[in-house]
mmCIF file of all heavy atoms in Angstrom:
data_model
loop_
_atom_site.group_PDB
_atom_site.id
_atom_site.type_symbol
_atom_site.label_atom_id
_atom_site.label_comp_id
_atom_site.label_asym_id
_atom_site.label_seq_id
_atom_site.Cartn_x
_atom_site.Cartn_y
_atom_site.Cartn_z
ATOM 1 N N GLU R 400 114.990 89.942 84.460
ATOM 2 C CA GLU R 400 113.744 89.773 83.517
ATOM 3 C C GLU R 400 113.362 90.913 82.823
ATOM 4 O O GLU R 400 112.121 91.337 82.855
ATOM 5 C CB GLU R 400 112.660 89.327 84.602
ATOM 6 C CG GLU R 400 113.033 88.085 85.310
ATOM 7 C CD GLU R 400 111.742 87.479 85.933
ATOM 8 O OE1 GLU R 400 110.754 87.484 85.420
ATOM 9 O OE2 GLU R 400 111.944 86.856 87.089
ATOM 10 N N PRO R 401 114.165 91.414 81.945
ATOM 11 C CA PRO R 401 113.868 92.674 81.220
ATOM 12 C C PRO R 401 112.688 92.467 80.198
ATOM 13 O O PRO R 401 112.006 93.448 79.906
ATOM 14 C CB PRO R 401 115.145 92.939 80.458
ATOM 15 C CG PRO R 401 115.854 91.637 80.279
ATOM 16 C CD PRO R 401 115.441 90.851 81.507
ATOM 17 N N LEU R 402 112.379 91.291 79.714
ATOM 18 C CA LEU R 402 111.413 91.035 78.785
ATOM 19 C C LEU R 402 110.097 90.422 79.365
ATOM 20 O O LEU R 402 109.297 89.954 78.676
ATOM 21 C CB LEU R 402 111.981 90.266 77.638
ATOM 22 C CG LEU R 402 113.219 90.621 77.048
ATOM 23 C CD1 LEU R 402 113.710 89.796 75.891
ATOM 24 C CD2 LEU R 402 113.256 92.169 76.689
ATOM 25 N N GLY R 403 110.172 90.190 80.681
ATOM 26 C CA GLY R 403 109.136 89.375 81.366
ATOM 27 C C GLY R 403 107.724 89.840 81.107
ATOM 28 O O GLY R 403 106.767 89.120 81.047
ATOM 29 N N ALA R 404 107.499 91.161 80.882
ATOM 30 C CA ALA R 404 106.141 91.750 80.771
ATOM 31 C C ALA R 404 105.692 91.902 79.328
ATOM 32 O O ALA R 404 104.673 92.610 79.120
ATOM 33 C CB ALA R 404 105.967 93.106 81.583
ATOM 34 N N LEU R 405 106.537 91.450 78.439
ATOM 35 C CA LEU R 405 106.211 91.751 76.965
ATOM 36 C C LEU R 405 105.473 90.565 76.322
ATOM 37 O O LEU R 405 105.631 89.398 76.760
ATOM 38 C CB LEU R 405 107.548 91.975 76.260
ATOM 39 C CG LEU R 405 108.452 93.127 76.812
ATOM 40 C CD1 LEU R 405 109.573 93.350 75.948
ATOM 41 C CD2 LEU R 405 107.612 94.507 76.919
ATOM 42 N N ASP R 406 104.768 90.809 75.195
ATOM 43 C CA ASP R 406 103.988 89.823 74.539
ATOM 44 C C ASP R 406 105.074 89.010 73.697
ATOM 45 O O ASP R 406 106.219 89.516 73.404
ATOM 46 C CB ASP R 406 102.905 90.432 73.621
ATOM 47 C CG ASP R 406 103.603 91.316 72.546
ATOM 48 O OD1 ASP R 406 103.862 90.753 71.528
ATOM 49 O OD2 ASP R 406 103.619 92.517 72.795
ATOM 50 N N ALA R 407 104.676 87.863 73.170
ATOM 51 C CA ALA R 407 105.558 86.990 72.542
ATOM 52 C C ALA R 407 106.399 87.575 71.338
ATOM 53 O O ALA R 407 107.623 87.361 71.188
ATOM 54 C CB ALA R 407 104.881 85.651 72.138
ATOM 55 N N LEU R 408 105.679 88.235 70.557
ATOM 56 C CA LEU R 408 106.273 88.824 69.353
ATOM 57 C C LEU R 408 107.327 89.945 69.663
ATOM 58 O O LEU R 408 108.435 89.915 69.157
ATOM 59 C CB LEU R 408 105.213 89.447 68.470
ATOM 60 C CG LEU R 408 104.593 88.527 67.353
ATOM 61 C CD1 LEU R 408 103.508 89.256 66.675
ATOM 62 C CD2 LEU R 408 105.615 88.059 66.392
ATOM 63 N N THR R 409 106.911 90.751 70.490
ATOM 64 C CA THR R 409 107.768 91.877 70.963
ATOM 65 C C THR R 409 109.028 91.284 71.639
ATOM 66 O O THR R 409 110.111 91.698 71.499
ATOM 67 C CB THR R 409 107.039 92.853 71.911
ATOM 68 O OG1 THR R 409 105.776 93.067 71.395
ATOM 69 C CG2 THR R 409 107.748 94.071 72.194
ATOM 70 N N ARG R 410 108.725 90.236 72.392
ATOM 71 C CA ARG R 410 109.815 89.594 73.090
ATOM 72 C C ARG R 410 110.842 89.001 72.212
ATOM 73 O O ARG R 410 112.112 89.224 72.441
ATOM 74 C CB ARG R 410 109.142 88.374 73.941
ATOM 75 C CG ARG R 410 109.966 87.996 75.113
ATOM 76 C CD ARG R 410 109.188 87.064 75.955
ATOM 77 N NE ARG R 410 109.982 86.616 76.977
ATOM 78 C CZ ARG R 410 109.773 86.458 78.283
ATOM 79 N NH1 ARG R 410 108.485 86.567 78.512
ATOM 80 N NH2 ARG R 410 110.591 86.001 79.062
ATOM 81 N N GLU R 411 110.335 88.382 71.114
ATOM 82 C CA GLU R 411 111.321 87.834 70.152
ATOM 83 C C GLU R 411 112.199 88.984 69.459
ATOM 84 O O GLU R 411 113.350 88.727 69.376
ATOM 85 C CB GLU R 411 110.652 87.030 69.056
ATOM 86 C CG GLU R 411 111.397 85.955 68.542
ATOM 87 C CD GLU R 411 110.644 84.843 67.862
ATOM 88 O OE1 GLU R 411 110.097 83.926 68.509
ATOM 89 O OE2 GLU R 411 110.399 84.974 66.549
ATOM 90 N N LYS R 412 111.537 90.082 69.181
ATOM 91 C CA LYS R 412 112.281 91.128 68.490
ATOM 92 C C LYS R 412 113.339 91.690 69.535
ATOM 93 O O LYS R 412 114.427 91.993 69.165
ATOM 94 C CB LYS R 412 111.324 92.296 68.176
ATOM 95 C CG LYS R 412 110.695 92.113 66.858
ATOM 96 C CD LYS R 412 109.943 93.404 66.500
ATOM 97 C CE LYS R 412 108.880 93.124 65.535
ATOM 98 N NZ LYS R 412 107.771 94.331 65.541
ATOM 99 N N MET R 413 112.875 91.665 70.822
ATOM 100 C CA MET R 413 113.842 92.278 71.778
ATOM 101 C C MET R 413 114.990 91.261 72.049
ATOM 102 O O MET R 413 116.174 91.806 72.258
ATOM 103 C CB MET R 413 113.095 92.545 73.080
ATOM 104 C CG MET R 413 112.217 93.644 73.074
ATOM 105 S SD MET R 413 112.952 95.289 72.819
ATOM 106 C CE MET R 413 113.709 95.514 74.408
ATOM 107 N N GLN R 414 114.710 90.009 71.896
ATOM 108 C CA GLN R 414 115.795 89.015 72.027
ATOM 109 C C GLN R 414 116.843 89.284 70.929
ATOM 110 O O GLN R 414 118.074 89.273 71.217
ATOM 111 C CB GLN R 414 115.291 87.647 72.032
ATOM 112 C CG GLN R 414 114.420 87.257 73.284
ATOM 113 C CD GLN R 414 113.694 85.975 73.108
ATOM 114 O OE1 GLN R 414 113.721 85.407 72.039
ATOM 115 N NE2 GLN R 414 113.034 85.581 74.229
ATOM 116 N N SER R 415 116.410 89.414 69.709
ATOM 117 C CA SER R 415 117.331 89.716 68.650
ATOM 118 C C SER R 415 118.194 90.942 68.850
ATOM 119 O O SER R 415 119.341 91.002 68.729
ATOM 120 C CB SER R 415 116.559 89.931 67.232
ATOM 121 O OG SER R 415 115.925 88.836 67.016
ATOM 122 N N LEU R 416 117.517 91.978 69.494
ATOM 123 C CA LEU R 416 118.074 93.221 69.752
ATOM 124 C C LEU R 416 119.240 93.160 70.858
ATOM 125 O O LEU R 416 120.333 93.552 70.641
ATOM 126 C CB LEU R 416 117.095 94.314 70.208
ATOM 127 C CG LEU R 416 117.715 95.630 70.612
ATOM 128 C CD1 LEU R 416 118.266 96.378 69.290
ATOM 129 C CD2 LEU R 416 116.696 96.569 71.274
ATOM 130 N N ILE R 417 118.891 92.293 71.772
ATOM 131 C CA ILE R 417 119.794 92.042 72.893
ATOM 132 C C ILE R 417 121.060 91.346 72.329
ATOM 133 O O ILE R 417 122.199 91.690 72.653
ATOM 134 C CB ILE R 417 119.218 91.313 74.117
ATOM 135 C CG1 ILE R 417 118.250 92.308 74.879
ATOM 136 C CG2 ILE R 417 120.325 90.885 75.055
ATOM 137 C CD1 ILE R 417 117.503 91.560 75.892
ATOM 138 N N LEU R 418 120.832 90.367 71.515
ATOM 139 C CA LEU R 418 122.023 89.620 70.962
ATOM 140 C C LEU R 418 122.771 90.492 70.090
ATOM 141 O O LEU R 418 124.079 90.394 70.121
ATOM 142 C CB LEU R 418 121.302 88.496 69.960
ATOM 143 C CG LEU R 418 120.987 87.135 70.610
ATOM 144 C CD1 LEU R 418 120.520 86.169 69.589
ATOM 145 C CD2 LEU R 418 122.292 86.632 71.363
ATOM 146 N N LYS R 419 122.122 91.405 69.280
ATOM 147 C CA LYS R 419 122.865 92.322 68.394
ATOM 148 C C LYS R 419 123.765 93.228 69.260
ATOM 149 O O LYS R 419 124.929 93.471 68.949
ATOM 150 C CB LYS R 419 121.883 93.018 67.621
ATOM 151 C CG LYS R 419 122.471 93.836 66.436
ATOM 152 C CD LYS R 419 121.470 94.514 65.601
ATOM 153 C CE LYS R 419 121.874 95.610 64.699
ATOM 154 N NZ LYS R 419 122.890 96.490 65.178
ATOM 155 N N ILE R 420 123.137 93.870 70.283
ATOM 156 C CA ILE R 420 123.900 94.720 71.047
ATOM 157 C C ILE R 420 125.073 94.068 71.720
ATOM 158 O O ILE R 420 126.178 94.580 71.806
ATOM 159 C CB ILE R 420 122.864 95.472 72.192
ATOM 160 C CG1 ILE R 420 122.021 96.394 71.481
ATOM 161 C CG2 ILE R 420 123.744 96.084 73.249
ATOM 162 C CD1 ILE R 420 120.931 96.940 72.320
ATOM 163 N N TRP R 421 124.863 92.886 72.201
ATOM 164 C CA TRP R 421 125.828 92.087 72.931
ATOM 165 C C TRP R 421 127.065 91.915 71.932
ATOM 166 O O TRP R 421 128.166 92.069 72.244
ATOM 167 C CB TRP R 421 125.288 90.720 73.392
ATOM 168 C CG TRP R 421 126.392 89.744 73.721
ATOM 169 C CD1 TRP R 421 127.164 89.888 74.828
ATOM 170 C CD2 TRP R 421 126.635 88.381 73.132
ATOM 171 N NE1 TRP R 421 128.022 88.751 74.856
ATOM 172 C CE2 TRP R 421 127.643 87.875 73.926
ATOM 173 C CE3 TRP R 421 126.089 87.797 72.070
ATOM 174 C CZ2 TRP R 421 128.190 86.535 73.579
ATOM 175 C CZ3 TRP R 421 126.651 86.478 71.794
ATOM 176 C CH2 TRP R 421 127.629 85.951 72.497
ATOM 177 N N ASN R 422 126.659 91.600 70.704
ATOM 178 C CA ASN R 422 127.718 91.242 69.661
ATOM 179 C C ASN R 422 128.439 92.583 69.196
ATOM 180 O O ASN R 422 129.671 92.537 69.135
ATOM 181 C CB ASN R 422 127.082 90.616 68.488
ATOM 182 C CG ASN R 422 128.058 90.251 67.412
ATOM 183 O OD1 ASN R 422 128.948 89.506 67.813
ATOM 184 N ND2 ASN R 422 127.933 90.692 66.173
ATOM 185 N N ASP R 423 127.737 93.728 69.123
ATOM 186 C CA ASP R 423 128.299 94.871 68.591
ATOM 187 C C ASP R 423 129.209 95.644 69.625
ATOM 188 O O ASP R 423 130.169 96.159 69.320
ATOM 189 C CB ASP R 423 127.212 95.926 68.222
ATOM 190 C CG ASP R 423 126.475 95.444 66.962
ATOM 191 O OD1 ASP R 423 126.968 94.463 66.312
ATOM 192 O OD2 ASP R 423 125.498 96.101 66.659
ATOM 193 N N THR R 424 128.731 95.478 70.949
ATOM 194 C CA THR R 424 129.447 96.257 72.033
ATOM 195 C C THR R 424 130.417 95.369 72.763
ATOM 196 O O THR R 424 131.269 95.914 73.471
ATOM 197 C CB THR R 424 128.443 96.787 73.011
ATOM 198 O OG1 THR R 424 127.730 95.681 73.655
ATOM 199 C CG2 THR R 424 127.455 97.783 72.319
ATOM 200 N N GLY R 425 130.259 94.003 72.672
ATOM 201 C CA GLY R 425 131.177 93.249 73.439
ATOM 202 C C GLY R 425 131.017 93.261 74.932
ATOM 203 O O GLY R 425 132.011 92.925 75.637
ATOM 204 N N LYS R 426 129.829 93.788 75.386
ATOM 205 C CA LYS R 426 129.608 93.838 76.850
ATOM 206 C C LYS R 426 129.438 92.535 77.496
ATOM 207 O O LYS R 426 129.022 91.470 76.854
ATOM 208 C CB LYS R 426 128.363 94.609 77.125
ATOM 209 C CG LYS R 426 128.234 96.038 76.515
ATOM 210 C CD LYS R 426 128.903 97.032 77.268
ATOM 211 C CE LYS R 426 128.736 98.456 76.698
ATOM 212 N NZ LYS R 426 129.718 99.344 77.118
ATOM 213 N N THR R 427 129.828 92.399 78.824
ATOM 214 C CA THR R 427 129.551 91.175 79.594
ATOM 215 C C THR R 427 128.103 91.343 80.002
ATOM 216 O O THR R 427 127.727 92.458 80.535
ATOM 217 C CB THR R 427 130.417 91.092 80.811
ATOM 218 O OG1 THR R 427 131.734 91.457 80.372
ATOM 219 C CG2 THR R 427 130.456 89.783 81.456
ATOM 220 N N ILE R 428 127.314 90.351 79.851
ATOM 221 C CA ILE R 428 125.887 90.471 80.215
ATOM 222 C C ILE R 428 125.467 89.310 81.087
ATOM 223 O O ILE R 428 125.863 88.093 80.813
ATOM 224 C CB ILE R 428 124.958 90.528 78.919
ATOM 225 C CG1 ILE R 428 125.430 91.762 78.067
ATOM 226 C CG2 ILE R 428 123.585 90.499 79.283
ATOM 227 C CD1 ILE R 428 124.490 91.776 76.811
ATOM 228 N N VAL R 429 124.757 89.587 82.164
ATOM 229 C CA VAL R 429 124.034 88.572 83.019
ATOM 230 C C VAL R 429 122.595 88.768 82.850
ATOM 231 O O VAL R 429 122.094 89.868 83.197
ATOM 232 C CB VAL R 429 124.513 88.498 84.424
ATOM 233 C CG1 VAL R 429 123.744 87.502 85.186
ATOM 234 C CG2 VAL R 429 125.997 88.430 84.579
ATOM 235 N N LEU R 430 121.777 87.859 82.394
ATOM 236 C CA LEU R 430 120.378 88.046 82.209
ATOM 237 C C LEU R 430 119.650 86.878 82.994
ATOM 238 O O LEU R 430 119.837 85.771 82.879
ATOM 239 C CB LEU R 430 120.070 87.998 80.626
ATOM 240 C CG LEU R 430 118.640 88.220 80.284
ATOM 241 C CD1 LEU R 430 118.569 89.018 79.016
ATOM 242 C CD2 LEU R 430 117.803 86.891 80.060
ATOM 243 N N ILE R 431 118.647 87.493 83.791
ATOM 244 C CA ILE R 431 117.834 86.491 84.525
ATOM 245 C C ILE R 431 116.473 86.400 83.777
ATOM 246 O O ILE R 431 115.927 87.331 83.365
ATOM 247 C CB ILE R 431 117.511 87.062 85.929
ATOM 248 C CG1 ILE R 431 118.788 86.835 86.824
ATOM 249 C CG2 ILE R 431 116.389 86.503 86.592
ATOM 250 C CD1 ILE R 431 118.661 87.374 88.106
ATOM 251 N N THR R 432 115.933 85.195 83.820
ATOM 252 C CA THR R 432 114.642 85.110 83.084
ATOM 253 C C THR R 432 113.878 83.925 83.640
ATOM 254 O O THR R 432 114.457 82.986 84.207
ATOM 255 C CB THR R 432 114.840 84.856 81.548
ATOM 256 O OG1 THR R 432 113.610 84.644 80.899
ATOM 257 C CG2 THR R 432 115.792 83.753 81.233
ATOM 258 N N HIS R 433 112.584 83.941 83.311
ATOM 259 C CA HIS R 433 111.708 82.838 83.723
ATOM 260 C C HIS R 433 111.544 81.889 82.493
ATOM 261 O O HIS R 433 111.062 80.800 82.625
ATOM 262 C CB HIS R 433 110.298 83.399 84.061
ATOM 263 C CG HIS R 433 110.100 83.535 85.493
ATOM 264 N ND1 HIS R 433 109.898 84.717 86.254
ATOM 265 C CD2 HIS R 433 110.077 82.530 86.575
ATOM 266 C CE1 HIS R 433 109.683 84.444 87.436
ATOM 267 N NE2 HIS R 433 109.798 83.175 87.678
ATOM 268 N N SER R 434 111.909 82.313 81.374
ATOM 269 C CA SER R 434 111.602 81.655 80.121
ATOM 270 C C SER R 434 112.727 80.742 79.774
ATOM 271 O O SER R 434 113.880 81.254 79.472
ATOM 272 C CB SER R 434 111.328 82.667 79.047
ATOM 273 O OG SER R 434 111.612 82.112 77.864
ATOM 274 N N VAL R 435 112.478 79.439 79.614
ATOM 275 C CA VAL R 435 113.537 78.600 79.251
ATOM 276 C C VAL R 435 114.032 78.810 77.896
ATOM 277 O O VAL R 435 115.176 78.819 77.558
ATOM 278 C CB VAL R 435 112.912 77.080 79.326
ATOM 279 C CG1 VAL R 435 113.992 76.095 78.913
ATOM 280 C CG2 VAL R 435 112.507 76.793 80.728
ATOM 281 N N GLU R 436 113.136 79.150 76.901
ATOM 282 C CA GLU R 436 113.487 79.482 75.529
ATOM 283 C C GLU R 436 114.468 80.650 75.488
ATOM 284 O O GLU R 436 115.464 80.573 74.743
ATOM 285 C CB GLU R 436 112.246 79.819 74.701
ATOM 286 C CG GLU R 436 111.329 78.679 74.536
ATOM 287 C CD GLU R 436 110.537 78.725 73.222
ATOM 288 O OE1 GLU R 436 110.407 79.817 72.804
ATOM 289 O OE2 GLU R 436 110.090 77.624 72.732
ATOM 290 N N GLU R 437 114.165 81.686 76.274
ATOM 291 C CA GLU R 437 114.939 82.873 76.272
ATOM 292 C C GLU R 437 116.420 82.601 76.807
ATOM 293 O O GLU R 437 117.350 83.027 76.236
ATOM 294 C CB GLU R 437 114.253 83.934 77.097
ATOM 295 C CG GLU R 437 114.844 85.287 77.026
ATOM 296 C CD GLU R 437 113.887 86.397 77.521
ATOM 297 O OE1 GLU R 437 112.881 86.550 76.853
ATOM 298 O OE2 GLU R 437 114.167 86.800 78.648
ATOM 299 N N ALA R 438 116.390 81.849 77.824
ATOM 300 C CA ALA R 438 117.679 81.463 78.503
ATOM 301 C C ALA R 438 118.587 80.680 77.571
ATOM 302 O O ALA R 438 119.664 80.875 77.448
ATOM 303 C CB ALA R 438 117.460 80.728 79.773
ATOM 304 N N LEU R 439 117.909 79.708 76.753
ATOM 305 C CA LEU R 439 118.680 78.906 75.838
ATOM 306 C C LEU R 439 119.165 79.725 74.656
ATOM 307 O O LEU R 439 120.276 79.619 74.164
ATOM 308 C CB LEU R 439 117.746 77.812 75.348
ATOM 309 C CG LEU R 439 117.718 76.557 76.167
ATOM 310 C CD1 LEU R 439 116.657 75.664 75.667
ATOM 311 C CD2 LEU R 439 119.062 75.795 76.330
ATOM 312 N N MET R 440 118.228 80.580 74.242
ATOM 313 C CA MET R 440 118.508 81.407 72.981
ATOM 314 C C MET R 440 119.641 82.378 73.252
ATOM 315 O O MET R 440 120.518 82.559 72.344
ATOM 316 C CB MET R 440 117.205 82.146 72.614
ATOM 317 C CG MET R 440 117.222 82.765 71.274
ATOM 318 S SD MET R 440 117.246 81.575 70.034
ATOM 319 C CE MET R 440 118.806 81.957 69.365
ATOM 320 N N LEU R 441 119.620 83.080 74.464
ATOM 321 C CA LEU R 441 120.441 84.240 74.613
ATOM 322 C C LEU R 441 121.839 83.867 75.294
ATOM 323 O O LEU R 441 122.837 84.475 75.017
ATOM 324 C CB LEU R 441 119.867 85.274 75.317
ATOM 325 C CG LEU R 441 118.592 85.936 74.727
ATOM 326 C CD1 LEU R 441 118.024 87.024 75.759
ATOM 327 C CD2 LEU R 441 118.877 86.505 73.425
ATOM 328 N N GLY R 442 121.800 82.732 76.124
ATOM 329 C CA GLY R 442 122.977 82.520 76.891
ATOM 330 C C GLY R 442 124.041 81.708 76.172
ATOM 331 O O GLY R 442 123.737 80.656 75.645
ATOM 332 N N GLN R 443 125.358 82.235 76.207
ATOM 333 C CA GLN R 443 126.429 81.381 75.890
ATOM 334 C C GLN R 443 126.658 80.344 76.927
ATOM 335 O O GLN R 443 126.972 79.187 76.773
ATOM 336 C CB GLN R 443 127.667 82.263 75.770
ATOM 337 C CG GLN R 443 128.027 82.842 74.478
ATOM 338 C CD GLN R 443 129.378 83.603 74.641
ATOM 339 O OE1 GLN R 443 129.518 84.296 75.608
ATOM 340 N NE2 GLN R 443 130.238 83.495 73.610
#
Side-chain angles (χ1 to χ4, degrees):
Chain R
E400 301 197 33
L402 313 182
L405 304 182
D406 65 87
L408 268 177
T409 313
R410 204 170 173 143
E411 204 163 276
K412 274 190 205 159
M413 290 294 288
Q414 290 169 357
S415 302
L416 179 66
I417 290 174
L418 273 182
K419 188 175 167 321
I420 287 172
W421 169 62
N422 188 51
D423 292 350
T424 61
K426 306 273 184 206
T427 316
I428 299 180
V429 179
L430 183 142
I431 282 180
T432 176
H433 260 117
S434 154
V435 177
E436 295 210 336
E437 189 165 289
L439 276 172
M440 192 66 245
L441 299 181
Q443 269 182 314

